Amino acid sequence: IALVLSSQTVIGDVQVLDTASGAMKKLTTFNDDLFNGLTLSEPEELWYSSFDGKKIQGWILKPTDFDSGKKYPMILEIHGGPHSAYGNTFTHEFQWMAAKGYVVLFTNPRGSSNYGQKTLAANVNDWGGGDYRDIMTGVDALVARGIADPDKLAHIGWSYGGYMTAWTVTQTNRYKAAMVGAGLTNMWSMYGTNDIASVLIGYFGGIVNPKTLPLYMERSAMTHID
């Protein structure tokens, strides 16, 4: 007998696997209230050209009753890292939002780990620059296709995704709602107080000092909050 944590749940449910027969018995029901009656959607891969011609990968999750003749409110979610990457995987919050009638767009801007070293390093000294434009080009692509309602856009993200959310809403008024999760809004303050300050050193030219401080400040959402 083996205990197995189910991987496609918010909190892993405990199941017992009979290794002889292969039979699985579920022991807990942590997520039943969230997933009961929820119709799941299949992610669709999207490739589009960014502002400089770079090919950017994204994924779209549509409501299961999607109507191609209708424009939908769209939620854009950005991953953490920034050296992470989205793929064709189960994400509970994306499924929940799609089931509630939203189109969900999640993209891999430059700095993501799925393109190779050159693109992985393309946002060094450029947080909020090319990566921001990669993301916005993806939004433009779905608006142009008649999928996303340009008047009903939301932007969310955690960690680096939270940084990009905070940055974005100080650069454009296109989004009607935003949620910054575990976000970085003041980069030089984060460097001085956070337990992972060393992450910023490679992206902002080194430790905070008179030479690097202008970049830390310029690419902070708080600098542009007005």
Side-chain angles (χ1 to χ4, degrees):
I1 300 294
L3 283 177
V4 179
L5 289 178
S6 177
S7 63
Q8 293 189 344
T9 51
V10 182
I11 301 173
D13 274 307
V14 179
Q15 305 192 47
V16 174
L17 170 68
D18 186 322
T19 56
S21 67
M24 188 85 77
K25 180 181 179 181
K26 187 176 179 182
L27 301 183
T28 62
T29 56
F30 295 128
N31 304 296
D32 282 5
D33 288 344
L34 180 61
F35 289 108
N36 279 348
L38 195 71
T39 304
L40 302 183
S41 300
E42 183 71 23
E44 299 177 17
E45 189 176 16
L46 165 74
W47 285 89
Y48 59 90
S49 295
S50 190
F51 68 97
D52 58 356
K54 187 181 293 294
K55 295 295 183 181
I56 301 297
Q57 182 195 45
W59 297 86
I60 312 170
L61 201 63
K62 301 174 181 175
T64 53
D65 60 352
F66 179 79
D67 180 352
S68 60
K70 175 183 174 183
K71 295 179 181 179
Y72 286 80
M74 189 185 80
I75 297 177
L76 169 70
E77 178 140 355
I78 306 303
H79 61 63
H83 45 274
S84 183
Y86 286 127
N88 185 4
T89 57
F90 179 90
T91 305
H92 71 275
E93 62 186 89
F94 296 173
Q95 292 286 347
W96 187 87
M97 291 185 289
K100 298 298 180 181
Y102 295 95
V103 166
V104 184
L105 171 64
F106 39 114
T107 69
N108 293 319
R110 64 194 67 201
S112 301
S113 59
N114 59 316
Y115 303 109
Q117 180 61 31
K118 183 178 180 180
T119 303
L120 177 66
N123 65 343
V124 171
N125 297 328
D126 193 39
W127 278 29
D131 46 8
Y132 164 72
R133 296 170 73 181
D134 290 343
I135 293 164
M136 295 300 294
T137 306
V139 174
D140 291 338
L142 290 199
V143 170
R145 296 183 187 193
I147 296 174
D149 186 336
D151 296 320
K152 296 181 179 180
L153 303 176
H155 196 305
I156 63 179
W158 287 84
S159 192
Y160 166 78
Y163 162 83
M164 191 56 67
T165 303
W167 174 260
T168 296
V169 297
T170 67
Q171 305 300 306
T172 177
N173 292 320
R174 292 179 63 182
Y175 295 92
K176 296 298 186 290
M179 189 285 296
V180 176
L184 327 173
T185 60
N186 184 326
M187 307 313 291
W188 61 276
S189 174
M190 177 194 167
Y191 177 83
T193 59
N194 197 275
D195 59 353
I196 56 170
S198 59
V199 172
L200 299 182
I201 294 174
Y203 287 105
F204 284 83
I207 66 173
V208 175
N209 58 51
K211 181 179 178 180
T212 62
L213 182 58
L215 181 61
Y216 278 91
M217 295 184 67
E218 167 60 26
R219 299 305 173 91
S220 295
M222 292 298 289
T223 301
H224 307 278
I225 196 168
D226 287 345

